[in-house]
Amino acid sequence: MDEIKLAQHFYQMEMNDFYTYMEISKVIKKQDIREKIQKIALMEKKHAQFWADFLKNRNATIPEVSINKTKLLFMKFLSKFMNPVIVISFFELGESGAIKHYYNFLKQATLNPEERQRLKEIILDEIEHETFFARQINEKGVSNIRDFVLGMNDGLVEILGAVAGLSAVYMYNPVMVGVSGLIVGFAGALSMGIGAFISVRSQRQVNQAQKEQMEIIFDVAPERAVEEYKEKLISSGVVKEIAEEIANKIGLNKEAISKLLIEETDENEVKSGLFTGFAYLFGVFFPVIPYFFAPNSYIALPFSIIFAGLALTVVATIISVLSGISIKKKIAEMVISAFTAAGIAYIFGSIMQSVFGIEI
């Protein structure tokens, strides 16, 4: 572990965030949100000062701040068409790996007691920032992006495998492959949409039944509800003595007990079903479209793979940014998985063509 190089990297990263947030905050119209972003920016500058002090105390060079102008320009560009808070939230969620890096540094680096305490406070600040931005994402409905890209990924990968297998069977009839892919994709979209509808509706019905049961318990035996609350705390990892103390303090607070015992959901089953089905159907488009323009399946298949690969790269990038994981690893994982599935499907299609002697 090269503590100096890591500290220099952390310093530059924090200063980058400071300048970025201050610049973007200038275009935020809502005063309370603008002030919150500026406050976070100043905290990032304070974090950078910690790393500068860390380096100074070890007679190491404090690096010149190199602003990521490409990222800043891109965020400014997006802010012209989207809510700036959403833009910042989107990119901030992609930086959540900083918390893990700081925690590893805390555990492994040679720090004096004061530095250790300051770094702990920085980690808590970063967690607070991430929570704030995640809340902004959820409040503005952008969390649906994750659901959309995952649904799109399902449709894309499954239909890529289907058309690859069909290409081996209908070698000289690409339109047949394309139409078959659309039919399978449409059926898959219906299945996914109906599944999402039933899932959300069932959860809502279960919640309603639990609420009615809780009302009866509070009316007939309120102490039973308190006991269930205590057991829930214990099962979630709270020490028994502390769980008993919390349960006793809350007493018969119906609202507090209900929130823990009953999972709340504001999802609309119709919206969820349509959203999931459309996302799946959108993914179907990429591997299918070449078959309606190519003279044969041999030519269509490579284009299908290329289109699917490009779409998967975009999907993987979005998932990586939202999840704070390595973009390169996620792209490699998704693209290799999809292409492996397509290769196996093509081999299976070739076997079926040979066994049944289909020549179309």
Side-chain angles (χ1 to χ4, degrees):
M1 183 182 188
D2 192 330
E3 296 178 8
I4 300 301
K5 283 188 178 180
L6 277 174
Q8 290 172 334
H9 169 70
F10 293 152
Y11 172 79
Q12 289 182 320
M13 182 179 69
E14 294 286 9
M15 287 302 294
N16 249 293
D17 286 346
F18 164 68
Y19 285 116
T20 299
Y21 296 159
M22 288 300 288
E23 284 296 312
I24 300 298
S25 70
K26 295 175 183 178
V27 298
I28 298 176
K29 296 179 181 179
K30 213 172 178 183
Q31 184 176 348
D32 59 333
I33 299 296
R34 182 174 65 250
E35 289 176 352
K36 179 66 177 178
I37 297 297
Q38 290 174 346
K39 181 182 176 183
I40 290 175
L42 292 174
M43 290 176 77
E44 300 288 18
K45 188 177 182 181
K46 182 181 175 182
H47 297 170
Q49 186 59 50
F50 166 78
W51 295 113
D53 293 341
F54 176 92
L55 293 166
K56 194 182 299 180
N57 292 337
R58 289 157 179 78
N59 297 318
T61 304
I62 299 173
E64 292 186 13
V65 180
S66 176
I67 305 303
N68 189 336
K69 294 182 180 179
T70 302
K71 177 182 175 182
L72 183 56
L73 287 172
F74 184 53
M75 291 178 72
K76 281 186 172 181
F77 173 75
L78 290 178
S79 297
K80 293 180 180 180
F81 307 98
M82 297 170 60
N83 188 318
V85 178
I86 293 177
V87 175
I88 295 177
S89 301
F90 185 82
F91 280 90
E92 175 64 20
L93 286 178
E95 301 295 335
S96 60
I99 296 171
K100 296 177 185 177
H101 293 313
Y102 284 177
Y103 181 72
N104 289 335
F105 196 92
L106 176 68
K107 290 296 182 182
Q108 299 176 32
T110 305
L111 302 167
N112 62 45
E114 183 185 352
E115 289 173 335
R116 190 170 296 278
Q117 182 58 36
R118 285 179 67 186
L119 185 51
K120 285 180 181 179
E121 291 171 0
I122 288 174
I123 292 172
L124 291 175
D125 286 344
E126 293 294 342
I127 292 173
E128 181 186 337
H129 297 174
E130 186 178 328
T131 302
F132 168 76
F133 286 116
R135 192 181 302 119
Q136 292 298 312
I137 285 281
N138 289 327
E139 286 178 0
K140 301 180 188 318
V142 185
S143 57
N144 288 334
I145 291 176
R146 189 193 300 272
D147 297 330
F148 182 86
V149 295
L150 290 174
M152 172 184 162
N153 177 67
D154 286 343
L156 197 153
V157 173
E158 289 176 22
I159 301 306
L160 176 62
V163 296
L166 290 168
S167 293
V169 178
Y170 302 113
M171 293 176 286
Y172 302 106
N173 195 342
V175 174
M176 178 68 78
V177 176
V179 171
S180 299
L182 285 178
I183 293 171
V184 173
F186 186 74
L190 286 175
S191 175
M192 292 284 288
I194 292 170
F197 173 87
I198 292 174
S199 175
V200 174
R201 187 174 181 82
S202 297
Q203 185 61 57
R204 189 185 298 280
Q205 291 170 337
V206 168
N207 290 348
Q208 184 59 38
Q210 288 180 335
K211 284 182 181 179
E212 293 173 356
Q213 187 182 57
M214 188 60 64
E215 291 289 340
I216 295 172
I217 291 175
F218 269 110
D219 188 45
V220 177
E223 67 281 355
R224 169 76 179 276
V226 177
E227 186 64 26
E228 284 192 27
Y229 181 80
K230 184 183 74 175
E231 293 298 325
K232 184 75 173 180
L233 287 172
I234 293 172
S235 66
S236 64
V238 178
V239 179
K240 184 178 179 181
E241 291 75 15
I242 297 176
E244 288 177 349
E245 185 180 347
I246 294 172
N248 291 333
K249 283 186 178 180
I250 288 179
L252 300 179
N253 188 323
K254 186 188 297 186
E255 184 178 347
I257 292 175
S258 295
K259 281 186 177 180
L260 180 68
L261 296 180
I262 301 173
E263 182 183 348
E264 295 288 342
T265 178
D266 295 326
E267 277 191 273
N268 180 289
E269 54 265 39
V270 175
K271 180 181 176 182
S272 179
L274 290 173
F275 192 85
T276 304
F278 177 76
Y280 185 98
L281 201 58
F282 187 72
V284 170
F285 168 82
F286 295 97
V288 164
I289 196 66
Y291 288 90
F292 292 98
F293 298 96
N296 58 62
S297 297
Y298 284 127
I299 294 176
L301 182 57
F303 282 100
S304 178
I305 292 172
I306 291 170
F307 288 172
L310 292 173
L312 282 168
T313 299
V314 173
V315 169
T317 301
I318 294 173
I319 293 175
S320 299
V321 170
L322 290 174
S323 306
I325 58 181
S326 169
I327 292 178
K328 290 181 180 178
K329 287 182 179 179
K330 193 62 184 177
I331 291 175
E333 172 191 314
M334 293 182 66
V335 171
I336 291 172
S337 298
F339 289 178
T340 301
I344 294 172
Y346 184 84
I347 293 170
F348 181 75
S350 298
I351 293 172
M352 293 297 99
Q353 193 267 346
S354 299
V355 170
F356 293 101
I358 302 173
E359 292 289 345
I360 299 179

